[in-house]
């Protein structure tokens, strides 16, 4: 895989340098591997810290900003950040009302964030953790709490950020964060692999006429490899799996059609069209819709569909404005 | 037999860095099968940073040498392996605190045990969970037995390497219980664990680096 | 190339259906292949019509909205729209103050837009045309007016849309549009090809270790094929070529680092970092910066750098808000 | 000799649609060399739509048959080729307005001339600019000469096809002056023009479709 990079071991460093320079009106660096919104910490506001491995922009560093997260540590490509930058982000986010962590449920992230949480609490910062577990393909319903977190993270962070922005108290933010995650499901499909720059070889190989259903966002194997079929057939499988996992009957929902990197936006809109057809037929009402690249996997081709089941609170929080380096909603 | 002082420990750890870096692609390929393909990268970043930092130390104590590696992982790595090795090398540092030399089999048994114990405390994995503990636990056990039997250091380290490799080979038959591969269940059987493999590489490199001194 | 599509001949139709459904709060359909902002036409405002072949989102249909264009026809993949949807877009954009066309300088587009302009004028709609000609790689300075239009279009449309939004009169909008284009230069590089869905084969082949410098956004050959080198070296060539083409000495500029589709955002930020280093060293002041996907070529990997030389008017117009399906600036 | 009425013209144009569609990939490949790889797609979209619309007509006049193709290009195609063929088929329709049959060499010479002339008016290209005119202009000229010489229709059409093919082959030696390839200058030499090739395909298919009637 060809890449527009210099030394692959300098990649994250150079990326962060460019990111911070490009968005110096919105964010600031608060550590070698941590950034925060320009006005953080906000006294009295619950801080929101999100983060994980790099290689998924806009997730997570570009979720930092007004109406989004307060701060984010950035790990190496596909590697959880160490505890230290997480702690730096925690301090930067802490306006005295405690800090909520939200990140994807991966072993490495849990190890490092838990360490950071212990260190933060030792400094007197109250911390609560909510894990993203939206990937229905990664574990059966009976083990839903063990699932991986993937693109649905965007919807959950949007909700948490908005809730914190209302100056809700710590317990309320945590409760809403848990509710948001509990009501979110995602399933995706990949057509091509991606390459960790310092590795240099694709994480997996896939034939020219095959796709991997339920693939993890780092190239972890999915549930099934199969021939590429028309996208309507693929979307039917993704959405039916989600609808079979959580009861959406008669619900309002938010839809997120997310591109993994190489898939053209045009294809994402074709997917949205099919999602809407399915939900319309089932009288599930789309109240919020997001189509684009919200959580990528470097240059992987593929897409995922997320549905968040909405109550009035989740709806109104999604509808609030957000202004981050890559996510803007009026 | 030569003295294994802090400078020797530092040289050994630099050798480990070279061995890891030389095997970066191999470790990534193993991690690609059921994981995200970055294990060789994470270990290389940690050990490279450690080697650079070690090179700046003047006559470090063994404790400082191990702590320097722990800090490199703490600053630069992250990931599952970073958290585990940060803790593990810090535990090794604590285990040798105050010692000027590490000449005995018992010294290294204590180090390996500290490493394995700390990794278990951090990662909550058991033997046969298909993780790096499947190399570190048998290695620590073999070295402790060797020490209890009064075996010389070079023999103890050789036994530790052999035990680690047996553990690595055994991971092929296991279903992962920890880490990102754990969601694959049966589909992960047949693949050798990346973390156990890098653990064996570390153990083997320590053995080979100390062989002249430990004879 | 694998794609998430159904029948390739239905692709544009299905894409537009999804696009219009996803953004029904911002845009509306005004013809089978034409869309307009929801509040168009705006009485007394000069209308702005942009458009071209599909396959480049957000260019051009997602440039339609407040502060952007009023309407856009959408062609087949990489094919100019016919005169008919251009005329429909023109009518939808016409608030009585005339309509300005802006599109890339391609033979097919010129033929079809000119036809539509003649038809619109026959209906009494005043039309002026400004061609995007920012691609420095496509012709020598002596033939600058024959150059292709590529990603710099975003900056130019941003300026034109903002100018029209100020309710400036027809001549003023046209003059500003020409000035914006005249001050904009772009050069790009491609690492992989793209595939027109109904063609099914990549438009060109390129070795695993090669890149094409100066490539057109539809896969037209560039100026030079060469081994992939570190990205800093590539950026140096792109920026030096641009700086050699127009005198930026002591100027304020807007920078656009644009991804062609498959290139990760992380790499775009590495590019931005280098652009900033070069401009800082030359005391060229970056006043506005855009890093992301603004004009893609389906799933092509690669990127371009655009510089717009700013006067006070261009700066202030770029700084104005815009709110379209894919472009949002507060 | 049979009458070439509107139904025959409609059938001929449907044959053209089939020929274009059968050569879609070939035309795209030619356009890929120096253009954007879509010429076969654009022509297929236009002619497919035309074929569907022609199939719904009952006893069309020749004028209506040509106009139907023009409208298909106007509605569905765009691109350089779409604008040119929309105009060209509309000009053909005007050239045959009021005629019930197109049995003579002169009838078809008038059609080809109308097509070539309109394309020139729209696209501003000259002979040897490496465009579809390099097929249409010689074809029209050959057919006019045949008509002037009193040659029968089948012979005239054969000569037109031959002239068109010679024009296509000649495009390989030319530098493009129009269209998106024109910016490549010398680098575009050596490649056969996609638009000229589809023009020849149209001309050849008309010849072959009319052969039985024109004998
Ligand atoms: N909880 C754990 N305890 C012990 N070892 C673990 C644990 N989780 C993962 N590992 C080890 O870490 C290795 C993967 O490391 P690495 O690829 O560097 O991290 P990541 O999974 O975050 O990408 C696995 O092969 C396994 O040996
Ligand atoms: N101005 C022109 N006059 C005549 N023919 C032209 C002109 N411009 C382009 N062409 C023809 O159009 C062909 C390309 O058509 P097509 O690929 O369908 O359109 P586009 O270039 O818009 O993608 C060229 O091969 C050339 O023969
Ligand atoms: Mg990882
Ligand atoms: Mg890994
Ligand atoms: Mg085209
Ligand atoms: Mg073309």
């Amino acid at each position: 895989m060809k890449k527009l990079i210099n030394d692959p071991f300098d990649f994250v460093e150079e990326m962060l340098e460019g990111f911070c320079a490009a968005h110096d009106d919105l964010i600031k660096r608060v550590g070698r591997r941590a950034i925060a919104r320009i006005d953080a910490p906000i006294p009295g506001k619950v801080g929101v810290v999100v983060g994980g491995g790099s290689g998924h922009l806009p997730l997570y560093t570009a979720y930092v900003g007004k109406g989004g997260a307060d701060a984010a540590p950035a790990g190496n490509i596909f590697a959880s950040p160490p505890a230290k930058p997480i702690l730096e982000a925690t301090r930067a986010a802490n306006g005295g009302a405690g800090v909520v962590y939200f990140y994807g449920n991966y072993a490495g992230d849990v190890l490092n964030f838990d360490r950071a949480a212990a260190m933060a609490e030792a400094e007197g910062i109250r911390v609560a953790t909510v894990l993203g577990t939206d990937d229905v393909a990664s574990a059966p319903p009976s083990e839903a709490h063990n699932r991986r977190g993937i693109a649905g993270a965007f919807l959950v962070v949007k909700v948490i950020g908005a809730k914190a922005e209302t100056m809700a108290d710590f317990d309320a933010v945590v409760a809403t964060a848990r509710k948001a995650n509990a009501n979110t499901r995602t399933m995706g499909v990949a057509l091509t692999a991606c390459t960790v720059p310092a590795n240099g070889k694709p994480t997996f190989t896939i034939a020219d006429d095959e796709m991997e259903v339920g693939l993890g966002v780092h190239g972890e194997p999915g549930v099934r490899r199969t021939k590429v079929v028309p996208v309507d057939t693929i979307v039917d499988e993704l959405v039916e799996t989600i609808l079979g996992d959580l009861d959406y009957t008669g619900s309002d929902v938010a839809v997120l059609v997310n591109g993994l990197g190489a898939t053209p936006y045009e294809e994402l809109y074709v997917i949205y069209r099919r999602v809407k057809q399915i939900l319309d037929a089932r009288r599930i009402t789309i109240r919020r819709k997001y189509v684009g690249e919200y959580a990528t996997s470097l240059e992987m081709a593929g897409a995922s569909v997320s549905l968040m089941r909405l109550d009035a609170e989740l709806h109104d929080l999604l509808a609030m404005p957000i202004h981050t380096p890559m996510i803007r909603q009026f | 037999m030569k003295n294994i002082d802090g400078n020797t420990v530092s040289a050994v750890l630099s050798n480990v860095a070279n061995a890891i870096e030389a095997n970066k692609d191999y470790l990534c390929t193993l991690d690609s099968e059921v994981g995200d393909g970055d294990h060789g990268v994470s270990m290389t970043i940690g050990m490279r940073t450690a080697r650079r930092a070690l090179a700046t130390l003047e006559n470090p104590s063994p404790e400082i040498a191990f702590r320097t590696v722990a800090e490199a992982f703490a600053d630069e790595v992250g990931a599952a392996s970073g958290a585990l090795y940060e803790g593990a090398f810090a535990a090794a540092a604590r285990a040798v605190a105050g010692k000027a030399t590490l000449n005995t089999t018992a010294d290294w048994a204590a180090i390996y045990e500290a490493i394995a114990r700390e990794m278990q405390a951090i990662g909550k994995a058991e033997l046969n969970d298909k993780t790096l503990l499947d190399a570190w636990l048998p290695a620590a056990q073999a070295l402790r037995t060797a020490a209890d039997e009064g075996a010389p250091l070079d023999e103890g380290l050789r036994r530790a390497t052999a035990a680690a490799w047996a553990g690595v080979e055994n991971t092929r038959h296991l279903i992962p219980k920890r880490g990102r591969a754990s969601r694959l269940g049966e589909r992960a059987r047949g693949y050798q664990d990346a973390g156990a493999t890098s653990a064996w590489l570390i153990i083997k490199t320590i053995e080979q680096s100390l062989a002249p001194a430990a004879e």
Side-chain angles (χ1 to χ4, degrees), chain A, chain B:
Chain A
M1 185 62 209
K2 292 173 281 191
K3 292 177 181 279
L4 293 168
I5 59 173
N6 297 303
D7 184 332
F9 285 95
D10 296 335
F11 183 48
V12 172
E13 204 53 41
E14 294 180 348
M15 179 272 282
L16 275 180
E17 187 186 328
F19 184 82
C20 291
H23 302 294
D24 53 3
D25 51 332
L26 297 175
I27 52 125
K28 61 188 174 190
R29 207 143 172 177
V30 295
R32 207 169 62 79
R33 289 293 175 86
I35 62 145
R37 56 191 273 192
I38 198 104
D39 53 352
I42 297 163
K45 188 179 97 62
V46 173
V48 179
V49 169
V50 298
S54 292
H56 302 296
L57 281 176
L59 180 142
Y60 278 100
T61 38
Y63 289 177
V64 173
K66 192 169 159 55
D70 293 271
N76 294 318
I77 298 296
F78 293 178
S80 163
K84 193 168 161 176
I86 303 172
L87 181 62
E88 287 165 340
T90 309
R91 289 181 187 135
N94 178 37
V99 172
V100 176
Y101 286 177
F102 177 81
Y103 55 90
N105 182 26
Y106 294 91
D109 297 273
V110 174
L111 290 178
N112 288 288
F113 274 86
D114 277 357
R115 264 251 5 264
M119 291 155 82
E121 298 201 322
E123 294 183 7
I125 304 175
R126 191 173 172 197
V127 174
T129 295
V130 179
L131 293 178
T133 57
D134 55 314
D135 183 3
V136 293
S138 60
S142 58
E143 287 185 59
H145 60 287
N146 276 331
R147 287 174 174 167
R148 303 186 278 233
I150 54 174
F154 167 69
L155 297 173
V156 178
V157 175
K158 175 74 189 71
V159 164
I160 304 176
K163 183 72 181 182
E165 209 73 39
T166 65
M167 301 304 274
D169 70 22
F170 188 80
D171 291 337
V173 175
V174 173
T176 299
R178 290 200 200 293
K179 180 171 73 175
N181 181 66
N183 282 284
T184 303
R185 297 288 185 279
T186 301
M187 188 158 161
V189 62
L191 299 183
T192 67
C194 59
T195 300
V196 175
N199 173 348
K201 281 188 296 292
T203 302
F204 61 97
T205 52
I206 183 161
D208 261 359
D209 60 348
E210 283 185 341
M211 60 183 193
E212 175 101 11
V213 181
L215 190 97
V217 285
H218 310 94
E220 303 96 330
V223 291
R224 198 156 62 81
R225 182 158 302 190
T226 159
K227 295 282 169 207
V228 176
V229 293
V231 66
D232 281 1
T233 311
I234 299 172
V235 175
D236 290 353
E237 173 173 352
L238 302 182
V239 176
E240 292 304 335
T241 305
I242 290 172
L243 295 180
D245 197 80
L246 185 69
D247 187 4
Y248 288 84
T249 317
S251 296
D252 289 354
V253 294
V255 173
L256 166 65
V257 176
N258 178 61
L260 293 181
T263 290
Y265 296 107
E266 285 79 2
E267 297 179 23
L268 302 182
Y269 284 111
V270 173
I271 293 173
Y272 178 74
R273 165 194 149 274
R274 185 63 175 183
V275 173
K276 182 169 180 340
Q277 287 175 352
I278 300 170
L279 298 183
D280 283 355
R282 297 197 172 224
R283 293 179 208 291
I284 295 168
T285 310
I286 301 175
R287 297 287 303 279
R288 307 285 319 164
K289 45 221 173 186
Y290 297 90
V291 182
E293 294 181 345
Y294 290 87
T296 60
S297 298
L298 296 172
E299 65 284 332
M300 201 184 281
S304 64
V305 176
S306 305
L307 297 185
M308 180 187 268
R309 194 171 58 181
L310 300 178
D311 61 12
E313 183 197 20
L314 293 176
H315 172 272
D316 293 350
L317 292 171
L318 282 180
M320 279 176 59
I322 181 171
H323 191 180
T324 82
M326 295 175 68
I327 310 283
R328 283 127 198 248
Q329 185 177 300
F330 280 80
Chain B
M1 188 176 134
K2 283 192 278 176
N3 252 346
I4 300 174
D5 61 5
N7 281 320
T8 310
V9 172
S10 174
V12 168
L13 293 169
S14 293
N15 288 345
V16 169
N18 296 339
I20 289 287
E21 194 160 345
N23 286 280
K24 168 175 84 65
D25 292 353
Y26 171 50
L27 297 173
C28 284
T29 302
L30 289 174
D31 191 36
S32 294
E33 302 289 1
V34 290
D36 58 350
D38 64 350
H39 184 61
V41 174
S42 289
M43 294 302 293
T44 296
I45 291 173
M47 291 308 306
R48 248 194 206 186
T49 310
R51 187 180 50 205
R52 276 198 215 112
L54 288 167
T56 66
L57 301 177
E58 278 188 46
N59 295 324
S61 64
E63 178 187 0
I64 292 292
F66 282 118
R67 193 167 302 290
T68 300
V69 181
E71 277 163 15
F73 276 89
D75 285 346
E76 299 289 335
V77 181
S81 48
L84 293 164
Y85 277 106
E86 173 191 348
F89 281 108
R94 286 193 299 275
V96 302
K99 294 195 182 176
T101 60
L102 306 173
N103 293 342
T104 71
T105 310
D107 287 336
W108 287 89
I111 293 170
Y112 281 29
E113 280 177 342
I115 286 176
R117 214 179 298 122
E118 182 70 18
M119 284 179 154
Q120 222 170 353
I122 296 172
K124 312 273 184 308
E126 302 291 335
L127 191 70
N128 291 334
D129 279 359
K130 195 165 181 156
T131 72
L132 39 75
L133 280 171
D134 290 333
W136 277 110
L137 282 173
Q141 203 161 29
L143 201 49
R144 169 57 59 201
T145 306
D148 290 351
E149 294 172 8
L153 178 56
D154 56 348
E155 187 193 322
L157 290 172
R158 269 199 303 278
R159 287 204 225 161
T161 303
W165 180 247
V168 169
E169 293 217 294
N170 187 45
T171 62
R172 292 207 195 123
H173 312 296
L174 301 172
I175 293 182
K177 294 276 161 51
R178 294 272 157 193
R180 71 178 69 233
S182 61
R183 298 194 185 83
L184 298 174
E186 278 299 333
R187 267 172 308 146
R189 225 195 271 279
Y191 297 109
Q192 177 178 321
D193 183 60
T197 307
S198 63
W200 160 75
L201 255 179
I202 295 170
I203 292 162
K204 187 181 79 156
T205 307
I206 293 174
E207 177 221 321
Q208 295 181 338
S209 307
L210 286 177
E215 259 161 29

